[in-house]
Amino acid sequence: MENKEYDVVIVGSGIAGSIVAKMLTQAGKQVLLLDAGLEAGMAFDEEGAYKNYQDYMKSYFMAQAKVPNAPYPNVKDAQSPNVLDMTQINGKPDTKGYFVQEGKLPFASDYARAAGGTTLHWLGTCLRMLPNDFKMHSKYGQAVDWPIDYEYLKPYYEMAEREIGVSCDVSEQKYPNMGNNFFGKDYVFPMLKIPQSYIDKSFIEGMEGLKVSLNGDVYTPWCTSTPQGRNSTPNKKYRYANTAWNAAKQKLELQPFAKESDEYVPVGAIWDPYSGQRCEGNASCVPICPVQAKYNALKTLKSAKKEHLTLLSQAVATEIHIDTGNGNITGVSYKQYPHADSKDYKSGTAKGKIYVLAANAIENAKILLASGACKTSGQVGCNLMDHTVLLTWGLMKDKVFPFRGPGSTTNIPTFRDGDFRKKHAAWISPIDNWGWGWPTGSPDTDLDHAVSTLNLFGKELRTYIGDTLSRQLLLHFECEQLPLKTNRVTIDDKYRDNIGNYRPVIKYDVDDYSLKAFKAAKSVSDQIFAGMGVQDFTNYPSDEPDYVDGFVFRGAGHVVGTHCMGTTKQNSVVNSQQQAWDHQNLYLVGAGNMATLGTSNPTLTLAALSFAAAENILKALK
Ligand SMILES: Cc1cc2nc3c(=O)[nH]c(=O)nc-3n(C[C@H](O)[C@H](O)[C@H](O)COP(=O)(O)OP(=O)(O)OC[C@H]3O[C@@H](n4cnc5c(N)ncnc54)[C@H](O)[C@@H]3O)c2cc1C
Ligand code: SF4
């Protein structure tokens, strides 16, 4: 590959990079894709792919703490952040993990630097953003408006839903201010909804007709089933076979099935298309789905056109080179390590007509900063956002049997939008199927408490465990965060990794807009618990990493912002085409482009944007 000029060089094989690679190679373009992860993760043959995934499973089984990155190798040459490294920051930078945490609060989310990226351990919730999420400034006087709107993104959302294979029933989707044509006439998802859990059904019944007040207004909250990137029963009404480039129209389009009798076939495991065609309720979606019933980006990458795709693994992109005359990018430098944790590496430069950074919001920003690229706006690395997750938990009156099925199959969308966004953040409340696992470490800690503290044994122990575990309810309130210039990723010569690359230095905090939402969300939770007779066990210990003003929040893994999209080269890093304002042959893809966060998990939106980016690149290459 040395000296070869590709049509496009892509950095990163997560969902963003894989979608772009798939669309470009299928349109006949020559693509080089670099990924920092181990070569074993790139195996697509049956034996190699199966073996590698079973190795992930073994690491998962052996890990004491089943945190999101537990199954995946944390290679010193391309480290991943780990939530276990996040502790309170006491005035001086916390350098224990991969991140250097310099803010008031630790940024508490991670990502995976392995082939397939963070979708290896995502949950798979696939919500679209709401129309007003794109207009936060004009509608609510907060942050900024996007340069694109919901209607622009709608066809790309449909492509993303096909690519991921989203299971959901359109008729059940009811969100605030969604308008009359949110999904379009007769639209259906590729697959029917994943059946809601027993806990969902009990909760929905218990909440029926309940009224809660928020800022003096009275609401009747409702529940909807959650769209999910995991396989269920194909919807016979779904009509699209694929997304393809229409060269005559210069557009990507969803292609209808060739025959009336054709129907959507769920995409199973990469080692065997017949494994994982249905979610089996194994309940370990985060950190790993044993059968790959849950979407991960390896599925997309595997369907790229092999003849046009060159993969380079263990290759960590470090810098992009800029032609000082016209600002164009002339190459991407990378360091390729021979084996995990090696101090040695081979340097190389990849060349293409167009360059795409898809290494995720934090790594993209790091590469840009290390290269002195995209400098005009001064916004690179700024506006780092995540959903701040406030948990509340209690015991339901009756047994509801949590710990079954995917992490969450239902949510309360009532507070995703409304005039209150003038004052505080909106939120979505997923109802969790995983008991109190997240805040208290259930079920292990319950058993430990019963045996070590209550001295229970035999029948008494069984009765206690049966009675408490089976009534556990966990709600979480994923609050939007505004883009703040001060929440940012930077680099510092002092902090380098095993092969001399920069580590991300992060400054992070929450502002008043979020804090007010925590208070509001907790008050809504209190009213729901009181109305349903839930015994509240929520507590927020002051020694937790993200303890602030009497609350504890967690990271959601939704790493957003850092190279925001906007209307001018002064106020943003990329334009509405996702092209860097300062370098016309550089495209940045992924959640880094998102100007604001809204209340939907970001991946469906970044996937939709990645289809739009692929279309723009194909137009530029014509
Ligand atoms: C626990 C958890 C649960 C989540 N659940 C959900 C959910 O339910 N719904 C949702 O919408 N989102 C969810 N997310 C977020 C979601 O996983 C991410 O938004 C998404 O995977 C990001 O995709 P990406 O392609 O932009 O980046 P990534 O998936 O992070 O991929 C980046 C790729 O780039 C590679 N790379 C990185 N640096 C370099 C470099 N320097 N050189 C070469 N290659 C590099 C990496 O190896 C990786 O393959 C979750 C995240 C976490 C952590
Ligand atoms: S519930 Fe189990 S089978 Fe279904 S997606 Fe999650 S891990 Fe996979």
Side-chain angles (χ1 to χ4, degrees):
M1 59 132 291
E2 275 304 320
N3 304 323
K4 176 166 174 178
E5 190 192 63
Y6 292 84
D7 289 317
V8 179
V9 175
I10 302 174
V11 176
S13 69
I15 184 169
S18 294
I19 286 175
V20 176
K22 175 176 173 175
M23 287 298 101
L24 298 186
T25 54
Q26 289 191 349
K29 303 302 171 197
Q30 291 295 336
V31 170
L32 171 68
L33 186 146
L34 312 173
D35 198 276
L38 286 174
E39 186 166 7
M42 281 284 187
F44 288 112
D45 62 295
E46 196 176 311
E47 198 180 329
Y50 182 73
K51 180 181 176 312
N52 181 60
Y53 209 73
Q54 292 318 305
D55 286 346
Y56 289 167
M57 285 301 296
K58 267 185 233 154
S59 305
Y60 163 64
F61 288 134
M62 298 301 287
Q64 204 178 4
K66 315 277 188 212
V67 293
N69 264 329
Y72 311 104
N74 197 357
V75 180
K76 283 191 187 147
D77 312 296
Q79 249 181 293
S80 302
N82 190 325
V83 290
L84 294 175
D85 291 326
M86 286 148 201
T87 47
Q88 279 189 344
I89 304 170
N90 295 316
K92 59 179 182 31
D94 180 354
T95 60
K96 185 159 50 70
Y98 171 54
F99 289 158
V100 177
Q101 304 264 13
E102 281 196 348
K104 276 203 181 138
L105 296 171
F107 185 73
S109 282
D110 70 6
Y111 46 86
R113 286 170 99 196
T118 312
T119 50
L120 291 171
H121 69 218
W122 76 324
L123 177 57
T125 300
C126 279
L127 290 152
R128 296 185 186 189
M129 290 179 75
L130 299 178
N132 285 342
D133 293 340
F134 297 85
K135 303 180 205 159
M136 283 297 286
H137 188 71
S138 48
K139 197 78 197 154
Y140 301 119
Q142 297 292 346
V144 290
D145 287 356
W146 290 49
I148 55 172
D149 61 10
Y150 178 79
E151 280 307 310
Y152 166 88
L153 215 49
K154 201 160 133 183
Y156 304 106
Y157 270 135
E158 294 182 3
M159 293 174 202
E161 280 157 357
R162 200 214 162 277
E163 186 61 41
I164 292 171
V166 177
S167 298
C168 184
D169 287 356
V170 167
S171 60
E172 290 185 4
Q173 298 308 297
K174 185 181 159 213
Y175 317 132
N177 301 323
M178 68 192 283
N180 297 329
N181 202 25
F182 188 80
F183 286 108
K185 189 169 173 315
D186 300 332
Y187 183 70
V188 295
F189 288 94
M191 289 172 277
L192 302 176
K193 75 170 182 184
I194 299 279
Q196 283 160 289
S197 64
Y198 185 70
I199 193 169
D200 290 344
K201 289 177 184 155
S202 312
F203 186 87
I204 293 166
E205 210 175 287
M207 215 180 66
E208 183 75 46
L210 199 89
K211 301 219 179 305
V212 300
S213 79
L214 175 69
N215 308 323
D217 293 321
V218 176
Y219 294 78
T220 311
W222 68 90
C223 295
T224 56
S225 55
T226 305
Q228 298 175 53
R230 53 177 52 74
N231 291 331
S232 86
T233 308
N235 188 333
K236 287 187 185 313
K237 292 189 184 145
Y238 187 73
R239 295 306 329 138
Y240 298 112
N242 208 350
T243 303
W245 171 240
N246 183 328
K249 291 192 192 158
Q250 293 285 291
K251 277 174 75 172
L252 286 181
E253 285 179 339
L254 277 166
Q255 306 285 307
F257 288 122
K259 295 198 297 283
E260 188 62 25
S261 55
D262 288 347
E263 63 179 59
Y264 180 85
V265 179
V267 183
I270 50 161
W271 61 86
D272 169 15
Y274 301 106
S275 292
Q277 282 206 328
R278 299 289 186 277
C279 170
E280 301 169 357
N282 287 312
S284 62
C285 325
V286 178
I288 189 164
C289 172
V291 292
Q292 292 192 348
K294 183 190 69 171
Y295 170 86
N296 68 58
L298 294 170
K299 299 187 186 191
T300 295
L301 195 57
K302 194 181 177 188
S303 59
K305 203 159 193 179
K306 298 292 160 311
E307 310 85 277
H308 297 309
L309 181 64
T310 305
L311 293 173
L312 201 62
S313 50
Q314 302 184 184
V316 190
T318 51
E319 210 179 307
I320 51 176
H321 301 285
I322 304 163
D323 180 326
T324 46
N326 59 15
N328 277 357
I329 304 304
T330 57
V332 180
S333 290
Y334 61 86
K335 293 180 179 173
Q336 194 172 25
Y337 55 92
H339 55 81
D341 304 335
S342 166
K343 279 260 181 205
D344 301 329
Y345 58 84
K346 198 176 75 187
S347 298
T349 305
K351 298 218 170 250
K353 297 187 182 95
I354 288 183
Y355 297 84
V356 177
L357 293 189
N360 91 39
I362 289 180
E363 297 297 323
N364 273 1
K366 221 183 70 182
I367 296 169
L368 294 172
L369 291 165
S371 320
C374 300
K375 276 168 55 175
T376 305
S377 66
Q379 299 275 340
V380 173
C382 300
N383 310 309
L384 177 67
M385 294 173 266
D386 189 4
H387 285 117
T388 47
V389 180
L390 192 77
L391 301 174
T392 63
W393 58 101
L395 289 182
M396 299 274 278
K397 276 190 293 200
D398 299 315
K399 294 185 177 182
V400 288
F401 305 105
F403 301 100
R404 293 163 191 221
S408 175
T409 34
T410 293
N411 68 82
I412 307 171
T414 316
F415 303 101
R416 289 188 64 189
D417 190 34
D419 253 6
F420 58 80
R421 284 172 107 179
K422 288 178 183 157
K423 296 191 198 126
H424 63 71
W427 66 79
I428 187 166
S429 313
I431 297 151
D432 288 87
N433 291 329
W434 287 340
W436 298 356
W438 201 356
T440 72
S442 290
D444 317 22
T445 46
D446 303 275
L447 185 62
D448 184 43
H449 175 71
V451 175
S452 314
T453 312
L454 303 179
N455 293 319
L456 299 179
F457 184 71
K459 190 164 178 241
E460 272 184 336
L461 176 63
R462 285 197 297 279
T463 307
Y464 173 83
I465 291 294
D467 183 52
T468 50
L469 282 188
S470 58
R471 292 193 293 132
Q472 288 188 352
L473 169 74
L474 175 67
L475 296 184
H476 73 271
F477 297 80
E478 295 196 8
C479 303
E480 74 183 323
Q481 195 171 24
L482 292 179
L484 304 176
K485 210 169 171 192
T486 45
N487 278 349
R488 62 185 305 183
V489 181
T490 56
I491 53 173
D492 184 328
D493 250 339
K494 284 204 296 278
Y495 303 115
R496 302 266 186 171
D497 69 10
N498 200 39
I499 51 174
N501 291 329
Y502 287 111
R503 289 163 58 190
V505 178
I506 299 198
K507 294 185 167 62
Y508 185 69
D509 198 4
V510 290
D511 67 356
D512 224 34
Y513 193 70
S514 297
L515 286 174
K516 282 186 193 148
F518 295 168
K519 288 190 188 112
K522 180 65 171 58
S523 119
V524 166
S525 175
D526 289 347
Q527 294 172 67
I528 292 176
F529 279 14
M532 289 175 59
V534 175
Q535 192 184 351
D536 198 345
F537 280 80
T538 309
N539 66 92
Y540 300 123
S542 58
D543 57 354
E544 290 277 340
D546 276 316
Y547 174 85
V548 54
D549 250 23
F551 294 99
V552 170
F553 71 90
R554 269 90 178 167
H558 302 165
V559 186
V560 173
T562 74
H563 45 79
C564 58
M565 184 191 288
T567 46
T568 68
K569 66 191 300 182
Q570 279 72 36
N571 69 16
S572 52
V573 181
V574 297
N575 61 24
S576 60
Q577 314 281 299
Q578 298 167 74
Q579 182 184 31
W581 287 107
D582 291 349
H583 316 283
Q584 61 101 28
N585 66 341
L586 175 66
Y587 289 78
L588 307 177
V589 295
N593 287 339
M594 293 171 63
T596 56
L597 179 56
T599 51
S600 52
N601 316 44
T603 308
L604 188 76
T605 299
L606 81 83
L609 286 167
S610 301
F611 277 103
E615 184 176 89
N616 296 329
I617 293 167
L618 284 167
K619 278 191 218 164
L621 281 172
K622 101 175 143 149

